[in-house]
């Protein structure tokens, strides 16, 4: 397990959402939402925040994964919509 911080602007933004919701100081790319204290209610709140801020819709199954995986799904949807990743 590395101690590398989130490396992309989108991952940094998502990491901020996770830290806020989960009450943790550090979220690494390989951290899994459920393993760092997430639950279905928090995942719903996270999905709403991502949809509001990024206009990207993710399912619970999508969010029950690593930060890196969630960021990749968001990036994929943004590309499909012809949009770039918003700055942090």
């Amino acid at each position: 397990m590395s101690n590398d911080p989130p490396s992309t602007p989108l991952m940094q933004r998502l990491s901020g959402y996770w830290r806020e919701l989960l009450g943790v100081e550090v979220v690494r790319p390989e951290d899994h939402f459920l393993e760092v204290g997430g639950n279905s209610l928090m995942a719903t709140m996270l999905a709403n925040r991502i949809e509001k801020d990024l206009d990207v819709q993710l399912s619970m199954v999508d969010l029950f994964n690593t930060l890196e995986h969630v960021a990749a799904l968001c990036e994929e949807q943004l590309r499909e919509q012809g949009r770039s990743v918003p700055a942090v």
Side-chain angles (χ1 to χ4, degrees):
M1 190 176 286
S2 75
N3 287 323
D4 295 336
S7 57
T8 67
L10 180 58
M11 216 182 295
Q12 290 170 9
R13 180 180 280 207
L14 292 172
S15 172
Y17 298 163
W18 284 35
R19 288 191 317 268
E20 183 180 308
L21 276 172
L22 301 171
V24 296
E25 289 186 28
V26 177
V27 177
R28 296 176 307 268
E30 68 274 9
D31 285 342
H32 192 284
F33 188 74
L34 294 174
E35 292 172 2
V36 291
N39 58 40
S40 58
L41 177 59
M42 290 177 180
T44 300
M45 294 166 62
L46 179 60
N48 290 339
R49 178 88 182 263
I50 290 171
E51 184 173 0
K52 177 179 172 255
D53 290 355
L54 302 174
D55 197 25
V56 168
Q57 295 182 354
L58 297 178
S59 71
M60 290 280 201
V61 173
D62 293 335
L63 295 173
F64 289 164
N65 215 306
T66 63
L67 175 64
E68 189 170 43
H69 182 80
V70 172
L73 291 173
C74 289
E75 287 174 3
E76 182 180 332
Q77 280 198 35
L78 289 167
R79 277 195 306 274
E80 287 173 359
Q81 295 172 6
R83 298 186 305 128
S84 61
V85 176
V88 178

